[in-house]
Amino acid sequence: RAGGLLMSTAPAMPNGIKKVAVVGSGVMGAAIAAHCANAGTPVVLLDIVPKGANDRSALAKGAIARMLKTKPAPFMHPSFAKRVTPGNLEDDLGLIGDCDWICEAIIENPEIKRDLYTKLEGVRKKGSIVSSNTSTIPLAELVKGLPDGFVADFAITHFFNPPRYMRLLEVVGGPKTRPEAIAALKAYGDRALGKEVIAAKDTPGFIGN
């Protein structure tokens, strides 16, 4: 488990999650990416292009640099930061094309999230799982108006801060979410990330909040 011993390679897992993308390099998104890296999983970390920045991927790169100085440490070992590939949503969206799980951790605004999901739908591979780290927005609101194929692959994965140290992970599926997608998220959360995975209903605030 990533919650205990150091892991140098991705575990052999039945859930099929071998590469992860995290969109949003704020406190939660960056730390989720770091903990997936702790489990030996290659991670793509994307964020918007900051206005006037010379480095268009400055937000994601800056998040990785900050985590190497953060205490308690998001990374189990500084070398694990090399497992996280930083990028931006304008130039590097194609990097999610071979990811098995895409975790969205951006601003808590349903309209902005749905706009992102539309972009993800254009580049993600068939059968990849997309989830939101929202703490309060119902799943039904997040997928409103989106294609049935996307809805079937969508769930909520609500981590608690800091993700490496807080054991609880709430997983929420909707009436159209594929059972296999939920099973894969639960297995990865439990076996790779060392979480106590709780299945929550699609109600405001879920369980923890």
Side-chain angles (χ1 to χ4, degrees):
R1 289 177 178 234
L5 299 177
L6 296 183
M7 304 181 71
S8 58
T9 58
M13 303 273 297
N15 60 71
I17 296 178
K18 297 180 175 63
K19 186 175 182 180
V20 173
V22 178
V23 181
S25 63
V27 172
M28 286 302 296
I32 292 168
H35 197 45
C36 291
N38 289 337
T41 309
V43 185
V44 174
L45 179 62
L46 303 180
D47 211 318
I48 61 172
V49 176
K51 291 183 179 180
N54 293 325
D55 187 340
R56 292 169 61 83
S57 300
L59 291 180
K61 291 178 180 178
I64 295 170
R66 284 194 302 276
M67 287 193 294
L68 289 170
K69 301 176 183 178
T70 299
K71 293 183 180 181
F75 289 110
M76 289 182 171
H77 190 277
S79 65
F80 291 0
K82 296 178 182 178
R83 296 172 181 165
V84 183
T85 301
N88 68 77
L89 286 168
E90 293 183 22
D91 305 320
D92 305 308
L93 191 60
L95 292 177
I96 73 166
D98 63 346
C99 291
D100 305 299
W101 171 34
I102 305 158
C103 180
E104 168 268 306
I106 65 172
I107 187 172
E108 291 284 78
N109 181 305
E111 185 175 348
I112 295 175
K113 289 179 185 290
R114 286 193 296 266
D115 181 65
L116 171 64
Y117 301 156
T118 299
K119 295 176 182 177
L120 297 179
E121 178 67 355
V123 296
R124 74 185 184 98
K125 69 178 181 179
K126 184 178 180 180
S128 60
I129 303 168
V130 182
S131 73
S132 176
N133 186 57
T134 183
S135 59
T136 57
I137 304 173
L139 184 149
E141 177 71 13
L142 293 174
V143 298
K144 190 181 298 182
L146 291 166
D148 289 343
F150 182 90
V151 176
D153 292 333
F154 188 82
I156 287 171
T157 48
H158 179 217
F159 290 82
F160 291 76
N161 191 31
R164 176 184 169 188
Y165 300 94
M166 298 295 284
R167 286 290 306 277
L168 183 62
L169 170 61
E170 295 177 328
V171 175
V172 183
K176 296 183 179 180
T177 306
R178 292 185 296 112
E180 297 86 357
I182 297 298
L185 290 170
K186 287 181 176 179
Y188 184 77
D190 175 17
R191 301 181 195 179
L193 302 183
K195 296 302 175 189
E196 184 72 27
V197 182
I198 302 295
K201 294 182 179 180
D202 190 21
T203 55
F206 314 123
I207 297 173
N209 290 336

